[in-house]
Amino acid sequence: MLRRLFARSVRTPPPGEALQAGAIPYVIQDGLVVFLVVTSRGSGRWVFPKGGLLAGLTPSQSAAAEALEEAGVEGEVDDEPVGAYGDTKLIGGRETPVSVAMYPLRVTRQLEDWPERRQRRRHWASLLELRRLLTTPGLLKLAELTQARALAAGDPGQPQVEQPRQDG
């Protein structure tokens, strides 16, 4: 029931609030969940890929498209968000509240070249390291929930990224 209520709130943000979708890219290596973060273009802080909803795509598909564009990874994205966090974004010269629904994405392929390669750095990190890297309120909790969901689901036995490459 809570998932349905949350999903409804993700689709219909309050008036004046924009809706975005983000991905929490991860792999499971030796029983440990490892996450991929990227630098934001403006401040250079470590974040998960996110962006506006894309026409013709579901929110989870939009999140996967952002992961490809910003981090150069592809994979299996959950249809259900793990949660959401609030942020602000400059839209039309005004600071606008944004609700960002976050979707776990199990990475199956990491590209060496991707659209925003020259604008961002990417970095694979454990949950312990994320505690130091993530400064946006709410992101660490969403990573913790993603880790719990990923470990509960277990390894489906499909190919995973072998040695994630560090770019930053």
Side-chain angles (χ1 to χ4, degrees):
M1 181 171 142
L2 285 176
R3 277 190 176 187
R4 281 189 307 224
L5 288 173
F6 177 77
R8 249 185 273 144
S9 71
V10 166
R11 284 191 213 96
T12 55
E17 184 172 86
L19 180 62
Q20 292 190 335
I24 302 178
Y26 73 92
V27 294
I28 300 175
Q29 293 184 328
D30 300 324
L32 177 69
V33 178
V34 184
F35 299 91
L36 182 64
V37 289
V38 296
T39 53
S40 67
R41 287 189 295 190
S43 66
R45 72 185 193 279
W46 292 105
V47 297
F48 291 116
K50 70 174 180 71
L53 299 181
L54 302 172
L57 298 181
T58 66
S60 63
Q61 291 168 334
S62 291
E66 291 297 330
L68 178 59
E69 181 179 331
E70 295 182 8
V73 292
E74 297 175 331
E76 298 170 1
V77 65
D78 283 10
D79 290 330
E80 292 284 329
V82 72
Y85 71 98
D87 203 357
T88 58
K89 184 169 182 83
L90 279 177
I91 300 176
R94 303 182 46 176
E95 226 175 69
T96 303
V98 177
S99 178
V100 187
M102 298 299 291
Y103 296 84
L105 182 134
R106 189 179 69 82
V107 175
T108 57
R109 184 170 175 226
Q110 178 174 308
L111 306 173
E112 294 304 314
D113 192 23
W114 68 96
E116 295 187 7
R117 179 177 184 207
R118 288 168 182 72
Q119 300 168 32
R120 300 176 187 272
R121 291 185 304 147
R122 63 183 176 189
H123 179 73
W124 288 96
S126 68
L127 188 59
L128 183 62
E129 187 178 5
L130 286 184
R131 293 183 205 293
R132 185 175 52 81
L133 295 176
L134 296 176
T135 58
T136 302
L139 282 186
L140 182 61
K141 181 64 176 171
L142 296 175
E144 291 170 344
L145 293 170
T146 297
Q147 176 174 281
R149 186 185 288 187
L151 293 175
D155 183 355
Q158 296 178 350
Q160 295 192 356
V161 173
E162 297 235 349
Q163 292 293 327
R165 291 201 45 193
Q166 300 290 352
D167 292 337

Tab-separated table of all heavy atoms in Angstrom, residues 110-168:
chain	number	residue	atom	x	y	z
A	110	GLN	N	29.402	-0.884	-18.854
A	110	GLN	CA	30.004	0.430	-18.645
A	110	GLN	C	30.730	0.829	-19.920
A	110	GLN	O	31.588	0.098	-20.411
A	110	GLN	CB	30.989	0.389	-17.478
A	110	GLN	CG	31.676	1.705	-17.233
A	110	GLN	CD	32.525	1.671	-15.979
A	110	GLN	OE1	32.058	1.291	-14.923
A	110	GLN	NE2	33.784	2.082	-16.097
A	111	LEU	N	30.379	1.986	-20.456
A	111	LEU	CA	30.957	2.466	-21.710
A	111	LEU	C	32.199	3.313	-21.439
A	111	LEU	O	32.281	3.998	-20.421
A	111	LEU	CB	29.932	3.300	-22.472
A	111	LEU	CG	28.580	2.629	-22.746
A	111	LEU	CD1	27.614	3.621	-23.356
A	111	LEU	CD2	28.756	1.419	-23.633
A	112	GLU	N	33.124	3.264	-22.358
A	112	GLU	CA	34.325	4.095	-22.260
A	112	GLU	C	34.058	5.499	-22.799
A	112	GLU	O	34.752	6.436	-22.465
A	112	GLU	CB	35.481	3.447	-23.013
A	112	GLU	CG	35.930	2.141	-22.385
A	112	GLU	CD	36.318	2.285	-20.912
A	112	GLU	OE1	37.056	3.230	-20.576
A	112	GLU	OE2	35.847	1.468	-20.099
A	113	ASP	N	33.071	5.636	-23.671
A	113	ASP	CA	32.712	6.931	-24.234
A	113	ASP	C	31.205	7.101	-24.068
A	113	ASP	O	30.447	6.170	-24.328
A	113	ASP	CB	33.106	6.994	-25.715
A	113	ASP	CG	33.029	8.405	-26.277
A	113	ASP	OD1	33.112	9.368	-25.488
A	113	ASP	OD2	32.879	8.550	-27.500
A	114	TRP	N	30.780	8.268	-23.595
A	114	TRP	CA	29.360	8.541	-23.388
A	114	TRP	C	29.139	10.048	-23.548
A	114	TRP	O	30.101	10.826	-23.565
A	114	TRP	CB	28.890	8.004	-22.036
A	114	TRP	CG	29.450	8.697	-20.831
A	114	TRP	CD1	28.867	9.700	-20.121
A	114	TRP	CD2	30.701	8.451	-20.178
A	114	TRP	NE1	29.653	10.085	-19.077
A	114	TRP	CE2	30.796	9.336	-19.091
A	114	TRP	CE3	31.745	7.553	-20.403
A	114	TRP	CZ2	31.889	9.356	-18.236
A	114	TRP	CZ3	32.836	7.582	-19.558
A	114	TRP	CH2	32.908	8.468	-18.482
A	115	PRO	N	27.886	10.484	-23.698
A	115	PRO	CA	27.614	11.881	-24.042
A	115	PRO	C	28.256	12.943	-23.136
A	115	PRO	O	28.746	13.946	-23.638
A	115	PRO	CB	26.083	11.969	-23.998
A	115	PRO	CG	25.640	10.591	-24.364
A	115	PRO	CD	26.656	9.674	-23.730
A	116	GLU	N	28.260	12.759	-21.823
A	116	GLU	CA	28.775	13.800	-20.931
A	116	GLU	C	30.152	13.459	-20.343
A	116	GLU	O	30.534	13.975	-19.286
A	116	GLU	CB	27.754	14.110	-19.835
A	116	GLU	CG	26.483	14.719	-20.405
A	116	GLU	CD	25.502	15.201	-19.366
A	116	GLU	OE1	25.825	15.199	-18.155
A	116	GLU	OE2	24.383	15.588	-19.760
A	117	ARG	N	30.903	12.640	-21.055
A	117	ARG	CA	32.209	12.191	-20.569
A	117	ARG	C	33.148	13.357	-20.247
A	117	ARG	O	33.894	13.322	-19.288
A	117	ARG	CB	32.855	11.281	-21.601
A	117	ARG	CG	34.214	10.797	-21.168
A	117	ARG	CD	34.814	9.853	-22.158
A	117	ARG	NE	36.073	9.377	-21.619
A	117	ARG	CZ	37.061	8.984	-22.347
A	117	ARG	NH1	36.959	8.965	-23.657
A	117	ARG	NH2	38.175	8.564	-21.798
A	118	ARG	N	33.131	14.381	-21.063
A	118	ARG	CA	34.050	15.503	-20.872
A	118	ARG	C	33.535	16.534	-19.859
A	118	ARG	O	34.237	17.479	-19.534
A	118	ARG	CB	34.344	16.164	-22.211
A	118	ARG	CG	35.235	15.298	-23.077
A	118	ARG	CD	35.316	15.762	-24.513
A	118	ARG	NE	36.144	14.901	-25.333
A	118	ARG	CZ	35.834	13.683	-25.747
A	118	ARG	NH1	34.689	13.158	-25.383
A	118	ARG	NH2	36.642	12.970	-26.505
A	119	GLN	N	32.323	16.320	-19.355
A	119	GLN	CA	31.732	17.269	-18.417
A	119	GLN	C	31.676	16.746	-16.985
A	119	GLN	O	31.391	17.502	-16.060
A	119	GLN	CB	30.311	17.618	-18.869
A	119	GLN	CG	30.266	18.237	-20.237
A	119	GLN	CD	28.847	18.310	-20.764
A	119	GLN	OE1	27.899	18.461	-20.007
A	119	GLN	NE2	28.689	18.192	-22.070
A	120	ARG	N	31.898	15.446	-16.816
A	120	ARG	CA	31.742	14.834	-15.494
A	120	ARG	C	32.848	13.809	-15.241
A	120	ARG	O	33.411	13.267	-16.168
A	120	ARG	CB	30.399	14.098	-15.401
A	120	ARG	CG	29.196	14.982	-15.598
A	120	ARG	CD	27.929	14.139	-15.575
A	120	ARG	NE	26.771	14.915	-15.919
A	120	ARG	CZ	26.037	15.604	-15.054
A	120	ARG	NH1	26.354	15.601	-13.785
A	120	ARG	NH2	24.989	16.287	-15.459
A	121	ARG	N	33.064	13.543	-13.957
A	121	ARG	CA	33.902	12.409	-13.563
A	121	ARG	C	32.970	11.370	-12.943
A	121	ARG	O	31.906	11.714	-12.438
A	121	ARG	CB	34.945	12.843	-12.534
A	121	ARG	CG	35.997	13.768	-13.127
A	121	ARG	CD	37.099	14.110	-12.151
A	121	ARG	NE	36.560	14.702	-10.937
A	121	ARG	CZ	37.087	14.544	-9.714
A	121	ARG	NH1	38.166	13.826	-9.545
A	121	ARG	NH2	36.543	15.108	-8.662
A	122	ARG	N	33.359	10.127	-13.001
A	122	ARG	CA	32.566	9.077	-12.345
A	122	ARG	C	33.469	8.303	-11.396
A	122	ARG	O	34.679	8.231	-11.589
A	122	ARG	CB	31.891	8.168	-13.366
A	122	ARG	CG	32.831	7.395	-14.251
A	122	ARG	CD	32.069	6.580	-15.287
A	122	ARG	NE	33.021	5.927	-16.178
A	122	ARG	CZ	32.695	5.284	-17.271
A	122	ARG	NH1	31.423	5.196	-17.625
A	122	ARG	NH2	33.618	4.712	-18.013
A	123	HIS	N	32.840	7.725	-10.390
A	123	HIS	CA	33.602	7.051	-9.343
A	123	HIS	C	32.751	5.942	-8.725
A	123	HIS	O	31.594	6.177	-8.359
A	123	HIS	CB	33.990	8.077	-8.275
A	123	HIS	CG	34.763	7.518	-7.134
A	123	HIS	ND1	36.086	7.140	-7.233
A	123	HIS	CD2	34.393	7.274	-5.854
A	123	HIS	CE1	36.501	6.685	-6.065
A	123	HIS	NE2	35.494	6.757	-5.210
A	124	TRP	N	33.325	4.741	-8.620
A	124	TRP	CA	32.665	3.625	-7.945
A	124	TRP	C	33.017	3.691	-6.472
A	124	TRP	O	34.186	3.864	-6.116
A	124	TRP	CB	33.119	2.292	-8.532
A	124	TRP	CG	32.574	2.042	-9.893
A	124	TRP	CD1	33.190	2.297	-11.090
A	124	TRP	CD2	31.288	1.490	-10.216
A	124	TRP	NE1	32.365	1.941	-12.132
A	124	TRP	CE2	31.202	1.441	-11.626
A	124	TRP	CE3	30.217	1.050	-9.457
A	124	TRP	CZ2	30.067	0.949	-12.281
A	124	TRP	CZ3	29.093	0.558	-10.103
A	124	TRP	CH2	29.029	0.507	-11.499
A	125	ALA	N	32.009	3.556	-5.592
A	125	ALA	CA	32.241	3.701	-4.158
A	125	ALA	C	31.350	2.752	-3.363
A	125	ALA	O	30.210	2.491	-3.731
A	125	ALA	CB	31.957	5.145	-3.731
A	126	SER	N	31.892	2.285	-2.250
A	126	SER	CA	31.100	1.488	-1.312
A	126	SER	C	30.171	2.427	-0.550
A	126	SER	O	30.335	3.654	-0.568
A	126	SER	CB	32.023	0.768	-0.331
A	126	SER	OG	32.646	1.729	0.521
A	127	LEU	N	29.225	1.847	0.161
A	127	LEU	CA	28.318	2.647	0.987
A	127	LEU	C	29.104	3.434	2.028
A	127	LEU	O	28.810	4.603	2.289
A	127	LEU	CB	27.272	1.750	1.651
A	127	LEU	CG	26.142	2.456	2.379
A	127	LEU	CD1	25.368	3.366	1.432
A	127	LEU	CD2	25.209	1.444	3.019
A	128	LEU	N	30.136	2.829	2.581
A	128	LEU	CA	30.968	3.510	3.570
A	128	LEU	C	31.602	4.773	2.971
A	128	LEU	O	31.596	5.839	3.587
A	128	LEU	CB	32.048	2.561	4.092
A	128	LEU	CG	32.955	3.105	5.183
A	128	LEU	CD1	32.148	3.451	6.422
A	128	LEU	CD2	34.030	2.094	5.517
A	129	GLU	N	32.120	4.673	1.746
A	129	GLU	CA	32.724	5.837	1.104
A	129	GLU	C	31.664	6.881	0.721
A	129	GLU	O	31.913	8.083	0.768
A	129	GLU	CB	33.523	5.418	-0.130
A	129	GLU	CG	34.307	6.566	-0.726
A	129	GLU	CD	35.148	6.192	-1.931
A	129	GLU	OE1	35.072	5.032	-2.403
A	129	GLU	OE2	35.865	7.076	-2.420
A	130	LEU	N	30.459	6.418	0.356
A	130	LEU	CA	29.390	7.360	0.015
A	130	LEU	C	29.051	8.277	1.182
A	130	LEU	O	28.670	9.427	0.981
A	130	LEU	CB	28.127	6.625	-0.437
A	130	LEU	CG	28.135	5.988	-1.814
A	130	LEU	CD1	26.767	5.387	-2.129
A	130	LEU	CD2	28.556	6.957	-2.890
A	131	ARG	N	29.194	7.768	2.397
A	131	ARG	CA	28.922	8.590	3.587
A	131	ARG	C	29.778	9.860	3.567
A	131	ARG	O	29.360	10.905	4.048
A	131	ARG	CB	29.199	7.803	4.869
A	131	ARG	CG	28.258	6.659	5.105
A	131	ARG	CD	28.569	5.985	6.446
A	131	ARG	NE	28.164	4.609	6.543
A	131	ARG	CZ	26.931	4.139	6.548
A	131	ARG	NH1	25.936	4.958	6.419
A	131	ARG	NH2	26.683	2.857	6.648
A	132	ARG	N	30.974	9.764	3.000
A	132	ARG	CA	31.885	10.906	2.922
A	132	ARG	C	31.637	11.744	1.670
A	132	ARG	O	31.761	12.963	1.684
A	132	ARG	CB	33.317	10.371	2.922
A	132	ARG	CG	34.391	11.407	2.968
A	132	ARG	CD	35.786	10.794	3.092
A	132	ARG	NE	36.095	9.772	2.107
A	132	ARG	CZ	36.486	10.015	0.862
A	132	ARG	NH1	36.605	11.249	0.440
A	132	ARG	NH2	36.768	9.029	0.044
A	133	LEU	N	31.248	11.085	0.559
A	133	LEU	CA	31.142	11.778	-0.729
A	133	LEU	C	29.833	12.525	-0.949
A	133	LEU	O	29.829	13.603	-1.541
A	133	LEU	CB	31.319	10.776	-1.882
A	133	LEU	CG	32.679	10.104	-2.013
A	133	LEU	CD1	32.644	9.081	-3.149
A	133	LEU	CD2	33.768	11.130	-2.244
A	134	LEU	N	28.716	11.936	-0.518
A	134	LEU	CA	27.409	12.525	-0.818
A	134	LEU	C	27.068	13.625	0.176
A	134	LEU	O	27.079	13.405	1.385
A	134	LEU	CB	26.315	11.459	-0.790
A	134	LEU	CG	26.422	10.356	-1.842
A	134	LEU	CD1	25.318	9.323	-1.635
A	134	LEU	CD2	26.351	10.936	-3.249
A	135	THR	N	26.739	14.800	-0.354
A	135	THR	CA	26.382	15.923	0.516
A	135	THR	C	24.920	16.338	0.359
A	135	THR	O	24.411	17.088	1.178
A	135	THR	CB	27.283	17.141	0.238
A	135	THR	OG1	27.151	17.506	-1.128
A	135	THR	CG2	28.741	16.835	0.555
A	136	THR	N	24.251	15.860	-0.683
A	136	THR	CA	22.846	16.188	-0.889
A	136	THR	C	22.002	15.423	0.129
A	136	THR	O	22.066	14.193	0.192
A	136	THR	CB	22.398	15.817	-2.322
A	136	THR	OG1	23.232	16.515	-3.248
A	136	THR	CG2	20.941	16.179	-2.555
A	137	PRO	N	21.210	16.137	0.941
A	137	PRO	CA	20.392	15.459	1.953
A	137	PRO	C	19.468	14.408	1.320
A	137	PRO	O	18.843	14.655	0.302
A	137	PRO	CB	19.574	16.594	2.579
A	137	PRO	CG	20.379	17.826	2.314
A	137	PRO	CD	21.048	17.590	0.988
A	138	GLY	N	19.431	13.250	1.931
A	138	GLY	CA	18.537	12.190	1.478
A	138	GLY	C	19.177	11.167	0.562
A	138	GLY	O	18.696	10.031	0.469
A	139	LEU	N	20.263	11.512	-0.130
A	139	LEU	CA	20.853	10.558	-1.077
A	139	LEU	C	21.474	9.340	-0.401
A	139	LEU	O	21.361	8.228	-0.908
A	139	LEU	CB	21.897	11.240	-1.969
A	139	LEU	CG	21.376	12.083	-3.115
A	139	LEU	CD1	22.517	12.576	-3.987
A	139	LEU	CD2	20.365	11.321	-3.950
A	140	LEU	N	22.123	9.542	0.728
A	140	LEU	CA	22.738	8.410	1.420
A	140	LEU	C	21.671	7.404	1.855
A	140	LEU	O	21.841	6.195	1.686
A	140	LEU	CB	23.554	8.876	2.622
A	140	LEU	CG	24.275	7.754	3.365
A	140	LEU	CD1	25.270	7.040	2.444
A	140	LEU	CD2	24.972	8.294	4.595
A	141	LYS	N	20.563	7.891	2.397
A	141	LYS	CA	19.475	6.999	2.826
A	141	LYS	C	18.941	6.195	1.640
A	141	LYS	O	18.664	5.003	1.751
A	141	LYS	CB	18.352	7.809	3.480
A	141	LYS	CG	17.203	6.970	3.973
A	141	LYS	CD	17.653	6.035	5.074
A	141	LYS	CE	16.496	5.261	5.644
A	141	LYS	NZ	16.925	4.218	6.559
A	142	LEU	N	18.818	6.836	0.466
A	142	LEU	CA	18.332	6.134	-0.726
A	142	LEU	C	19.345	5.084	-1.191
A	142	LEU	O	18.953	4.013	-1.660
A	142	LEU	CB	18.010	7.136	-1.834
A	142	LEU	CG	16.868	8.101	-1.501
A	142	LEU	CD1	16.702	9.133	-2.601
A	142	LEU	CD2	15.568	7.351	-1.249
A	143	ALA	N	20.635	5.363	-1.019
A	143	ALA	CA	21.660	4.368	-1.344
A	143	ALA	C	21.564	3.176	-0.388
A	143	ALA	O	21.682	2.016	-0.801
A	143	ALA	CB	23.050	4.992	-1.292
A	144	GLU	N	21.322	3.462	0.888
A	144	GLU	CA	21.164	2.385	1.873
A	144	GLU	C	19.964	1.505	1.523
A	144	GLU	O	20.035	0.269	1.601
A	144	GLU	CB	20.996	2.967	3.278
A	144	GLU	CG	22.248	3.615	3.818
A	144	GLU	CD	22.021	4.408	5.095
A	144	GLU	OE1	20.846	4.732	5.428
A	144	GLU	OE2	23.022	4.729	5.767
A	145	LEU	N	18.862	2.129	1.136
A	145	LEU	CA	17.673	1.369	0.751
A	145	LEU	C	17.925	0.558	-0.523
A	145	LEU	O	17.453	-0.571	-0.650
A	145	LEU	CB	16.480	2.310	0.553
A	145	LEU	CG	15.954	2.996	1.812
A	145	LEU	CD1	14.947	4.084	1.459
A	145	LEU	CD2	15.347	1.975	2.763
A	146	THR	N	18.672	1.124	-1.455
A	146	THR	CA	19.021	0.398	-2.680
A	146	THR	C	19.878	-0.808	-2.352
A	146	THR	O	19.665	-1.897	-2.890
A	146	THR	CB	19.752	1.339	-3.666
A	146	THR	OG1	18.856	2.385	-4.047
A	146	THR	CG2	20.226	0.590	-4.899
A	147	GLN	N	20.832	-0.629	-1.462
A	147	GLN	CA	21.684	-1.750	-1.064
A	147	GLN	C	20.850	-2.865	-0.450
A	147	GLN	O	21.007	-4.040	-0.799
A	147	GLN	CB	22.752	-1.290	-0.069
A	147	GLN	CG	23.610	-2.431	0.455
A	147	GLN	CD	24.743	-1.941	1.305
A	147	GLN	OE1	25.733	-1.479	0.773
A	147	GLN	NE2	24.602	-2.030	2.627
A	148	ALA	N	19.942	-2.515	0.444
A	148	ALA	CA	19.093	-3.519	1.089
A	148	ALA	C	18.240	-4.241	0.050
A	148	ALA	O	18.109	-5.476	0.081
A	148	ALA	CB	18.209	-2.866	2.146
A	149	ARG	N	17.674	-3.490	-0.899
A	149	ARG	CA	16.839	-4.095	-1.950
A	149	ARG	C	17.673	-5.019	-2.833
A	149	ARG	O	17.246	-6.118	-3.163
A	149	ARG	CB	16.175	-3.006	-2.783
A	149	ARG	CG	15.176	-3.561	-3.793
A	149	ARG	CD	14.600	-2.507	-4.710
A	149	ARG	NE	13.664	-1.609	-4.037
A	149	ARG	CZ	12.944	-0.702	-4.673
A	149	ARG	NH1	13.047	-0.535	-5.978
A	149	ARG	NH2	12.101	0.069	-4.009
A	150	ALA	N	18.872	-4.579	-3.209
A	150	ALA	CA	19.739	-5.365	-4.093
A	150	ALA	C	20.173	-6.662	-3.419
A	150	ALA	O	20.150	-7.727	-4.037
A	150	ALA	CB	20.959	-4.545	-4.502
A	151	LEU	N	20.553	-6.587	-2.153
A	151	LEU	CA	21.005	-7.785	-1.447
A	151	LEU	C	19.848	-8.741	-1.180
A	151	LEU	O	20.018	-9.960	-1.212
A	151	LEU	CB	21.716	-7.405	-0.156
A	151	LEU	CG	23.050	-6.671	-0.349
A	151	LEU	CD1	23.613	-6.219	0.997
A	151	LEU	CD2	24.052	-7.533	-1.102
A	152	ALA	N	18.658	-8.192	-0.922
A	152	ALA	CA	17.488	-9.050	-0.696
A	152	ALA	C	17.099	-9.786	-1.971
A	152	ALA	O	16.658	-10.931	-1.917
A	152	ALA	CB	16.316	-8.210	-0.193
A	153	ALA	N	17.281	-9.125	-3.114
A	153	ALA	CA	16.944	-9.754	-4.399
A	153	ALA	C	17.958	-10.822	-4.766
A	153	ALA	O	17.653	-11.744	-5.515
A	153	ALA	CB	16.872	-8.691	-5.499
A	154	GLY	N	19.170	-10.693	-4.264
A	154	GLY	CA	20.217	-11.656	-4.579
A	154	GLY	C	20.787	-11.424	-5.963
A	154	GLY	O	20.294	-10.616	-6.737
A	155	ASP	N	21.841	-12.128	-6.274
A	155	ASP	CA	22.496	-12.021	-7.575
A	155	ASP	C	21.734	-12.867	-8.578
A	155	ASP	O	21.647	-14.077	-8.426
A	155	ASP	CB	23.943	-12.504	-7.451
A	155	ASP	CG	24.720	-12.348	-8.741
A	155	ASP	OD1	24.134	-11.950	-9.767
A	155	ASP	OD2	25.924	-12.623	-8.715
A	156	PRO	N	21.157	-12.243	-9.620
A	156	PRO	CA	20.388	-13.016	-10.588
A	156	PRO	C	21.245	-13.877	-11.505
A	156	PRO	O	20.730	-14.581	-12.351
A	156	PRO	CB	19.644	-11.937	-11.384
A	156	PRO	CG	20.511	-10.738	-11.281
A	156	PRO	CD	21.173	-10.833	-9.933
A	157	GLY	N	22.566	-13.805	-11.364
A	157	GLY	CA	23.431	-14.643	-12.165
A	157	GLY	C	23.669	-14.126	-13.565
A	157	GLY	O	24.184	-14.831	-14.408
A	158	GLN	N	23.283	-12.899	-13.829
A	158	GLN	CA	23.513	-12.319	-15.146
A	158	GLN	C	24.836	-11.566	-15.137
A	158	GLN	O	25.361	-11.232	-14.082
A	158	GLN	CB	22.357	-11.400	-15.523
A	158	GLN	CG	21.071	-12.180	-15.641
A	158	GLN	CD	19.904	-11.282	-15.978
A	158	GLN	OE1	19.999	-10.083	-15.943
A	158	GLN	NE2	18.787	-11.886	-16.314
A	159	PRO	N	25.369	-11.275	-16.303
A	159	PRO	CA	26.672	-10.602	-16.356
A	159	PRO	C	26.655	-9.279	-15.611
A	159	PRO	O	25.671	-8.553	-15.647
A	159	PRO	CB	26.904	-10.356	-17.850
A	159	PRO	CG	25.821	-11.045	-18.569
A	159	PRO	CD	24.785	-11.469	-17.604
A	160	GLN	N	27.733	-9.000	-14.936
A	160	GLN	CA	27.882	-7.729	-14.248
A	160	GLN	C	29.194	-7.098	-14.700
A	160	GLN	O	30.042	-7.758	-15.278
A	160	GLN	CB	27.896	-7.937	-12.742
A	160	GLN	CG	26.574	-8.457	-12.235
A	160	GLN	CD	26.474	-8.384	-10.740
A	160	GLN	OE1	27.409	-8.007	-10.050
A	160	GLN	NE2	25.338	-8.752	-10.209
A	161	VAL	N	29.356	-5.835	-14.399
A	161	VAL	CA	30.595	-5.153	-14.744
A	161	VAL	C	31.711	-5.835	-13.980
A	161	VAL	O	31.631	-6.004	-12.779
A	161	VAL	CB	30.501	-3.659	-14.348
A	161	VAL	CG1	31.829	-2.982	-14.538
A	161	VAL	CG2	29.420	-2.976	-15.151
A	162	GLU	N	32.743	-6.254	-14.675
A	162	GLU	CA	33.821	-6.973	-14.017
A	162	GLU	C	34.605	-6.039	-13.116
A	162	GLU	O	34.292	-5.795	-12.058
A	162	GLU	CB	34.704	-7.635	-15.052
A	162	GLU	CG	33.871	-8.656	-15.807
A	162	GLU	CD	34.456	-10.009	-15.794
A	162	GLU	OE1	35.607	-10.170	-15.380
A	162	GLU	OE2	33.757	-10.931	-16.204
A	163	GLN	N	35.569	-5.345	-13.471
A	163	GLN	CA	36.263	-4.420	-12.610
A	163	GLN	C	35.836	-3.016	-12.967
A	163	GLN	O	36.294	-2.485	-13.960
A	163	GLN	CB	37.787	-4.575	-12.780
A	163	GLN	CG	38.321	-5.890	-12.253
A	163	GLN	CD	38.190	-5.979	-10.747
A	163	GLN	OE1	38.296	-4.985	-10.037
A	163	GLN	NE2	37.941	-7.173	-10.245
A	164	PRO	N	34.912	-2.402	-12.189
A	164	PRO	CA	34.491	-1.042	-12.521
A	164	PRO	C	35.710	-0.122	-12.622
A	164	PRO	O	36.578	-0.144	-11.775
A	164	PRO	CB	33.603	-0.640	-11.348
A	164	PRO	CG	33.155	-1.918	-10.750
A	164	PRO	CD	34.276	-2.900	-10.983
A	165	ARG	N	35.751	0.661	-13.684
A	165	ARG	CA	36.862	1.580	-13.895
A	165	ARG	C	36.599	2.887	-13.177
A	165	ARG	O	35.502	3.407	-13.210
A	165	ARG	CB	37.029	1.851	-15.383
A	165	ARG	CG	37.537	0.615	-16.091
A	165	ARG	CD	38.184	0.933	-17.376
A	165	ARG	NE	39.072	2.078	-17.216
A	165	ARG	CZ	39.587	2.732	-18.222
A	165	ARG	NH1	39.315	2.377	-19.448
A	165	ARG	NH2	40.384	3.762	-18.040
A	166	GLN	N	37.625	3.393	-12.542
A	166	GLN	CA	37.541	4.680	-11.865
A	166	GLN	C	37.942	5.773	-12.837
A	166	GLN	O	38.938	5.646	-13.528
A	166	GLN	CB	38.480	4.710	-10.659
A	166	GLN	CG	38.182	3.664	-9.626
A	166	GLN	CD	36.890	3.912	-8.879
A	166	GLN	OE1	36.248	4.930	-8.992
A	166	GLN	NE2	36.500	2.941	-8.082
A	167	ASP	N	37.176	6.833	-12.877
A	167	ASP	CA	37.526	7.978	-13.699
A	167	ASP	C	37.840	9.193	-12.849
A	167	ASP	O	38.169	10.236	-13.359
A	167	ASP	CB	36.386	8.321	-14.666
A	167	ASP	CG	36.188	7.254	-15.710
A	167	ASP	OD1	37.137	6.514	-15.978
A	167	ASP	OD2	35.078	7.163	-16.249
A	168	GLY	N	37.645	9.087	-11.577
A	168	GLY	CA	37.844	10.279	-10.746
A	168	GLY	C	38.320	9.990	-9.406
A	168	GLY	O	38.474	9.073	-8.818
